[in-house]
Amino acid sequence: MTTRVILDSVDLSVTRGELVAIMGPSGAGKSTLLNIISGITTPDSGHVFVAQTYLRGTTATERAALRRSSFGTVHQRGNLIEALTMEENVALPLELNGERPRRACQQARLLLTDQGLGDVCELFPHQVSGGQRQLAAVLAALSSHRDIILADEPTGALDSAAGDEVMRLIRAHIDAGATGLFVTHDARDAAWADRVIYLKDGTITSDTGTSMSTATLLGGETR
Ligand SMILES: Nc1ncnc2c1ncn2[C@@H]1O[C@H](COP(=O)(O)OP(=O)(O)O)[C@@H](O)[C@H]1O
Ligand SMILES: [Mg+2]
């Protein structure tokens, strides 16, 4: 078996109220970085301190519990459960938070209706458009007010207007006191972030939080 280094010497600290955009070419390690932060992937070396916890000392069950209590995540393709209706999908994190199912569904319906998705509440994910799925996945991630939001290309399936709306929702959640990281290929999305990190071949080649200017980053400077 051959060994490949996917991420190397990544040093990153993100504080409450901060929204960080992660950019970089395909295969750079962006999704892997998010998976390490949420404890889905365990790095071979180094430390991850997140939600007041050093992940190295935890069991897989503890990490799953931490994800449930502290993380809202959006996967690249909109992580909805196919067997649940759109409304039930958005309600699920609320129920995991201890909300009663009936109330959770009412809240989910309001959130969906606010976003113009009132008509699809009772449909299943395969019956709606990719954009509607992705928007619902973002609403599900944000609905239960988790402390940490991780979003992997949350605007990928959306046109500019819908993408802006998703970024506005994420930004509002962070401004309310959460911490967020999202992956994007779009400079328009990155403009919503406080800070842009550029990953290439598994290392951070620039970080507007430390030195380089956003303009340099968005121009694709990788050195
Ligand atoms: N589970 C895995 N096993 C082995 N290699 C993987 C795995 N996941 C990702 N990789 C590899 O790690 C590298 C970074 O992948 P990824 O983090 O998905 O990149 P990005 O999200 O920036 O496109 C890629 O070369 C990919 O093939
Ligand atoms: Mg990826």
Side-chain angles (χ1 to χ4, degrees), residues 64-162:
L66 193 68
R67 274 194 295 280
R68 199 162 58 232
S69 63
S70 300
F71 286 83
T73 50
V74 185
H75 295 293
Q76 212 158 332
R77 278 191 247 154
N79 41 317
L80 299 177
I81 296 170
E82 297 294 337
L84 300 180
T85 64
M86 297 289 279
E87 181 180 293
E88 289 165 346
N89 266 290
V90 176
L92 187 60
L94 293 163
E95 288 182 46
L96 290 172
N97 268 17
E99 195 69 80
R100 286 161 191 258
R102 169 95 65 91
R103 235 184 97 66
C105 272
Q106 282 169 353
Q107 287 184 36
R109 184 171 285 261
L110 278 178
L111 289 168
L112 285 160
T113 305
D114 274 350
Q115 290 303 316
L117 297 180
D119 291 346
V120 303
C121 284
E122 279 158 29
L123 298 182
F124 290 91
H126 74 270
Q127 296 173 309
V128 308
S129 73
Q132 290 172 324
R133 292 170 65 102
Q134 205 161 10
L135 186 50
V138 171
L139 291 176
L142 301 181
S143 67
S144 51
H145 307 289
R146 304 279 166 80
D147 290 336
I148 301 161
I149 300 301
L150 300 179
D152 203 343
E153 303 190 29
T155 66
L158 304 174
D159 62 32
S160 308

Side-chain angles (χ1 to χ4, degrees), residues 8 21 32 58-59 65 82 125 128 144 146 174 201 219-220:
D8 190 19
T32 303
T58 58
T59 63
E82 297 294 337
V128 308
S144 51
R146 304 279 166 80
I174 303 309
D201 298 333

